[in-house]
Amino acid sequence: MPVSPAEVLGALRREPDVEAPDLVAVDATDRLLLDIAADLVAGCGGGEVAVVDDSYGALALGLAARHGLTGLRVSQDLLVGERALAANAERVGLAGSFRSLPLGEELAAGARVVLVKAPKALDALREIAEVVAASAAPDVTVLVGGRVKHMTHAMNDVLGASFGEVQATLARQKSRVLVARGPRPRPSSFPRQHVHPDLGLTVCAHGAAFAGTKIDIGTRALVRSLPEMAADARSALDLGCGTGVLATLLARSRPELRVLAVDQSAAAVASAAATAAANGVADRVVALRDDAAATVPDRSVDLVVCNPPFHVGAAVVTTAADRMFAAAARLLRPGGELWTVYNSALRYRPVLGRVVGPTRVAGQDPKFTVAVSRRR
């Protein structure tokens, strides 16, 4: 069993998340954050330290191993990250050193040091900053680390809206940390709302939800196909639901349909629930945080709609979509339909035919393909 902080970090794995040659469980940003936090954390108890969006546990377990901390509070938007943290903690003998919590008041209450792995979206950082500024101790120091190529001056501005002082450290191994102090509490601006007049739809979004209150072009391609989908379906699943656009439109257009909206992102699930409520279908749309609908019973739905991701970090990989296609095959009743949209260059049709069943192209342009697969 690992005994030193270095051995702990060396033992961490990404599983159950996607594995690929250029994807790692611990990166240079994790190590820089841990080093910069060392002096700050030395004067804190575990209950005064919080971690946000720890990819696979390097930050929480690194802090626990290096400083002997327990009672750390951790919030991770992605369920696979939360599960990887739990599995890694068992692997290195640090189970019980942390609590997993939603992004909210309990996470940040009284915290004096908060480590944040910089999210991709500025709104995700904005919501984190608002939560921490509203609940943390007055002397809190927030460390936001990321790859230099992904960090912009706009991030300083976002942090500056919630903190009086924001500074940047020197870069190391192409990573940098922003240091924020002097919290300026204010009411949360999330979830955001936007009305799309062309669809008569109000979209609600928390900061980390993919596309925010916009509707991405892949989802719009599926929206155009909604009238063609499984006319006799009584149950439907929006797999990887994001802000719940497809789930809400399905429920609104088919009063007899029961819809389940599933995503591994906590922000997406909260957004989907808010979108359903804003459009008057909260009674027929259930939003669930789950990894590839693992807890949904086999052969329990008639229709699955899916706009799968094809990027993991900076890498283009198909593993995440493959898992979602396999999930759809498991969940669909015989004769049920999977409607999916994907980047036309990826040519998923043979995979769908093999994994789900007979597949035809329902729509295509140079960017996106919409395909329908019938479960054998």
Side-chain angles (χ1 to χ4, degrees), residues 50-248:
V51 178
V52 182
D53 281 348
D54 193 355
S55 299
Y56 303 99
L59 298 177
L61 300 179
L63 288 170
R66 185 181 293 192
H67 302 281
L69 295 177
T70 59
L72 293 161
R73 289 171 282 176
V74 185
S75 178
Q76 293 161 282
D77 181 56
L78 297 183
L79 184 58
V80 290
E82 195 172 294
R83 289 177 174 170
L85 167 59
N88 280 324
E90 290 286 348
R91 182 178 293 111
V92 300
L94 290 171
S97 60
F98 63 91
R99 290 186 295 147
S100 288
L101 296 167
L103 179 64
E105 181 179 357
E106 187 179 2
L107 171 76
R112 296 180 58 211
V113 180
V114 180
L115 277 66
V116 181
K117 196 77 173 283
K120 293 180 182 178
L122 283 176
D123 272 349
L125 181 61
R126 193 184 314 276
E127 187 165 17
I128 292 166
E130 289 178 359
V131 167
V132 173
S135 303
D139 65 346
V140 66
T141 299
V142 182
L143 305 176
V144 180
R147 301 289 284 171
V148 170
K149 65 181 180 180
H150 296 143
M151 301 188 80
T152 67
H153 288 295
M155 296 174 72
N156 298 56
D157 296 337
V158 165
L159 288 172
S162 293
F163 293 89
E165 176 188 344
V166 181
Q167 297 177 330
T169 69
L170 295 175
R172 188 182 83 186
Q173 293 182 302
K174 301 181 180 179
S175 293
R176 188 187 303 278
V177 172
L178 298 179
V179 183
R181 295 186 175 92
R184 300 195 291 199
R186 58 177 183 159
S188 175
S189 61
F190 294 90
R192 302 281 176 85
Q193 289 192 0
H194 181 76
V195 177
H196 295 266
D198 59 322
L199 297 174
L201 184 75
T202 299
V203 177
C204 304
H206 284 271
F210 174 71
T213 58
K214 299 177 182 178
I215 302 177
D216 69 281
I217 55 177
T219 295
R220 283 190 175 274
L222 276 178
V223 168
R224 289 192 292 272
S225 296
L226 288 180
E228 305 172 47
M229 297 178 182
D232 57 348
R234 292 295 178 269
S235 59
L237 171 69
D238 185 354
L239 184 58
C241 64
T243 54
V245 169
L246 293 168
T248 296

Side-chain angles (χ1 to χ4, degrees), residues 266-281:
V269 171
S271 301
T275 296
N279 292 277
V281 293

Side-chain angles (χ1 to χ4, degrees), residues 273-316:
T275 296
N279 292 277
V281 293
D283 59 328
R284 290 188 295 108
V285 175
V286 175
L288 174 68
R289 188 177 184 224
D290 202 354
D291 180 21
T295 64
V296 179
D298 295 0
R299 300 190 176 194
S300 61
V301 296
D302 302 311
L303 171 65
V304 175
V305 292
C306 181
N307 179 4
F310 57 92
H311 282 89
V312 177
V316 177

